[in-house]
Amino acid sequence: MTSGTLTKWHVKPGQKLSAGDVLCSVQTDKAVVDMDTQEDMIFGRVLIQEGTEDVKLGEVIALVCDDEADLNDMDSYEVPKSESSPSEEAPAEEVPQKQAHAEQTPPQTQASQKPTSDFKYMDPPSVRSFLETYNIDRTQIPTASGKGGRITKQDVVQFQQTDAFKNIAQKKKPATAAEGKKATETKPAPAARPQAGATYTDIPATPTRKIIASRLLESKQQLPHFFMSTEARIDKLLAYREHLKQQNVKASLNDFIIKMSARALEQVPQCNATFNSKTGQHEQQSQIDISIAVATEGGLITPIVKSANTKPVPQIAATVKDLATRARSGGLKPEEFQGGTFCISNLGMFGIKNFEAVINPPHALILSVGGSEKRPYLETQQEGNDQYGFSQSFDLSVLDNVDPEALNSGNGELKTATFVTLTVSADARAVDGQDVAQYLGVLKDLLEMRSYV
């Protein structure tokens, strides 16, 4: 997350807050998240109004203070442009208390100490960014006037006026105007606008749609996809589902697929993997967390059924129903949709026979499930004696000029059965074709109820 929409303030100016109180709600790329206070404070003034979009991470959204006497200075205070991205607690430390005491105590003589390397993770994000940009050790900053030895934004501003910083900045000069012009000239031409007279509607991209576009573009450009498909005969599974339904146990076909996918990953653990793009290594996960694609008004979101292999089908059904309902209302917590080790996308309910889903990084695989379809198949005598009823299916159109009676004599018997198509999109950096083929074989056996579920 780099930006979000401030949807609601839960506090008012002058309100006293304790650590853990909810300040505001922010819509991220996937959900609405509450922002809590980190310490006791008094809320002073709102700087970012409700409904403001594209609020950058680290941007000042409000002023707070420790003393009620400082509330009078809030209205007159203006956030300097150089302080556009301090941490949430920076205003509490520096605004407006510094103004209130500036006449009595010059900034250089306020309670401060020499920075050490022990507090680097406690500095505000803007300070850490500044230090990283110029490759400066925090011990090079003369003073640390924040609480607990933290470096504040004001300490950085003062350091920027010193000769020491100017020498450092000289080594990191920005690109020249000529270089900037050359870079501009090499940019591709913008896409052509619709012809005059054509009607169209500009639809603003939601935060979810933006992140989907970014991540899937990255996936298609950087991940070496390969695909494998199979189909499973699910008549016994549908009969078992009907049996459970008569016992008031409601579960969809997708719930069974989630369960059996998790069980298949138990038997083929090399497919329960993610790829770490930073280290260039694939990581085989010990816990099986199944992400399921859920369509919302803003785009797809993938809530997670954690430890799906250990949950019975009725519990999976209840979990999926709850996650899908809250996903569509924006009520998921980040930990409920971020992560997962394997993903399933099911478009069978839309009549789609088969498709190839794009891998959702860092997952190594995604399973695409098509709709169930009843069609004829030819069962040989040997296959008929098989208690599991192995089948060989074919397209119905081949029967146009074939006598069905001829099919029943000698070589086999024409029957009908229900099939579902399963397609795996896999990242060749993390898994091999043999692994995926083995996984699909185990999943097929489970769905056809050849193996214990």
Side-chain angles (χ1 to χ4, degrees):
M1 173 187 172
T2 57
S3 64
T5 300
L6 201 159
T7 58
K8 184 177 181 180
W9 281 107
H10 296 280
V11 295
K12 297 180 180 180
Q15 182 175 340
K16 294 183 178 180
L17 304 174
S18 300
D21 289 345
V22 177
L23 269 178
C24 60
S25 296
V26 178
Q27 181 180 353
T28 68
D29 48 12
K30 295 285 187 179
V32 177
V33 180
D34 290 336
M35 178 179 170
D36 301 336
T37 59
Q38 302 300 312
E39 57 186 50
D40 296 347
M41 61 182 67
I42 301 174
F43 190 78
R45 172 186 163 197
V46 171
L47 297 180
I48 302 296
Q49 301 299 323
E50 292 182 356
T52 303
E53 300 180 354
D54 198 28
V55 181
K56 302 300 181 184
L57 187 66
E59 184 173 349
V60 179
I61 60 175
L63 300 180
V64 298
C65 60
D66 295 328
D67 194 336
E68 291 184 353
D70 295 323
L71 290 173
N72 297 328
D73 298 326
M74 291 290 183
D75 293 337
S76 60
Y77 182 81
E78 295 184 4
V79 180
K81 292 183 179 180
S82 61
E83 297 188 7
S84 58
S85 60
S87 67
E88 292 84 1
E89 65 184 17
E93 299 171 3
E94 307 173 38
V95 183
Q97 294 181 36
K98 286 188 177 181
Q99 285 190 336
H101 303 287
E103 295 182 2
Q104 295 92 346
T105 310
Q108 294 292 343
T109 60
Q110 291 185 16
S112 61
Q113 58 190 56
K114 180 69 177 177
T116 67
S117 59
D118 298 334
F119 299 95
K120 59 182 179 180
Y121 299 111
M122 300 175 63
D123 293 331
S126 59
V127 172
R128 296 200 300 268
S129 176
F130 168 80
L131 297 176
E132 292 173 1
T133 299
Y134 291 97
N135 195 24
I136 299 173
D137 188 276
R138 74 188 309 274
T139 57
Q140 295 179 254
I141 308 296
T143 58
S145 59
K147 294 180 179 179
R150 304 174 190 175
I151 298 174
T152 66
K153 187 72 175 183
Q154 186 62 32
D155 297 329
V156 171
V157 172
Q158 293 176 3
F159 175 65
Q160 288 176 318
Q161 310 303 318
T162 65
D163 292 337
F165 172 76
K166 292 177 181 178
N167 293 333
I168 295 173
Q170 281 290 333
K171 300 177 182 179
K172 289 186 66 69
K173 285 187 176 180
T176 64
E179 292 172 341
K181 182 179 180 181
K182 182 177 180 180
T184 304
E185 292 173 351
T186 60
K187 288 184 178 180
R193 299 289 292 174
Q195 296 181 356
T199 59
Y200 63 92
T201 303
D202 285 326
I203 302 177
T206 63
T208 301
R209 178 58 58 189
K210 290 178 181 178
I211 198 66
I212 289 174
S214 173
R215 289 176 62 82
L216 296 190
L217 176 63
E218 172 191 350
S219 176
K220 290 297 289 184
Q221 288 181 332
Q222 300 183 13
L223 273 62
H225 287 59
F226 71 93
F227 309 95
M228 288 189 176
S229 297
T230 190
E231 59 180 17
R233 177 183 170 183
I234 57 172
D235 296 274
K236 290 185 179 181
L237 178 59
L238 293 178
Y240 179 62
R241 179 189 171 214
E242 185 63 27
H243 171 72
L244 292 180
K245 186 177 180 180
Q246 294 175 0
Q247 299 180 5
N248 295 322
V249 177
K250 295 182 179 180
S252 68
L253 177 60
N254 196 56
D255 298 328
F256 283 96
I257 292 174
I258 293 171
K259 172 66 175 182
M260 296 179 186
S261 296
R263 291 298 301 274
L265 290 172
E266 279 185 325
Q267 300 184 44
V268 192
Q270 56 268 37
C271 286
N272 188 46
T274 56
F275 187 84
N276 190 325
S277 58
K278 293 182 179 179
T279 63
Q281 296 179 337
H282 72 275
E283 301 167 347
Q284 185 172 312
Q285 304 295 329
S286 57
Q287 182 168 314
I288 300 176
D289 296 335
I290 305 293
S291 300
I292 52 173
V294 175
T296 69
E297 291 184 0
L300 284 177
I301 188 171
T302 52
I304 304 168
V305 181
K306 297 185 177 181
S307 300
N309 56 314
T310 65
K311 291 181 170 64
V313 172
Q315 185 178 355
I316 290 177
T319 301
V320 170
K321 182 178 180 180
D322 173 62
L323 290 172
T325 300
R326 290 191 289 118
R328 295 186 177 101
S329 63
L332 289 178
K333 299 176 182 178
E335 59 269 22
E336 292 179 313
F337 61 83
Q338 293 178 354
T341 63
F342 186 89
C343 191
I344 298 177
S345 180
N346 190 341
L347 293 179
M349 65 286 294
F350 298 105
I352 302 302
K353 183 178 179 181
N354 59 73
F355 65 103
E356 297 171 345
V358 180
I359 299 172
N360 183 28
H363 296 167
L365 291 88
I366 182 170
L367 174 67
S368 308
V369 183
S372 58
E373 179 184 26
K374 180 166 286 191
R375 62 175 184 266
Y377 74 99
L378 186 64
E379 183 178 74
T380 66
Q381 183 175 2
Q382 181 179 1
E383 292 165 351
N385 294 332
D386 182 0
Q387 60 175 321
Y388 301 119
F390 178 78
S391 64
Q392 179 182 2
S393 63
F394 57 91
D395 195 310
L396 185 62
S397 62
V398 303
L399 297 177
D400 291 344
N401 300 314
V402 177
D403 181 6
E405 293 296 331
L407 295 175
N408 291 330
S409 59
N411 292 330
E413 182 180 358
L414 183 65
K415 294 184 177 181
T416 59
T418 305
F419 296 88
V420 64
T421 303
L422 310 166
T423 302
V424 167
S425 307
D427 184 349
R429 300 173 303 175
V431 291
D432 297 326
Q434 180 179 348
D435 300 329
V436 178
Q438 184 181 357
Y439 167 79
L440 280 173
V442 174
L443 179 58
K444 174 185 173 73
D445 285 348
L446 289 169
L447 288 172
E448 292 184 347
M449 302 194 77
R450 296 170 180 256
S451 304
Y452 174 75
V453 182

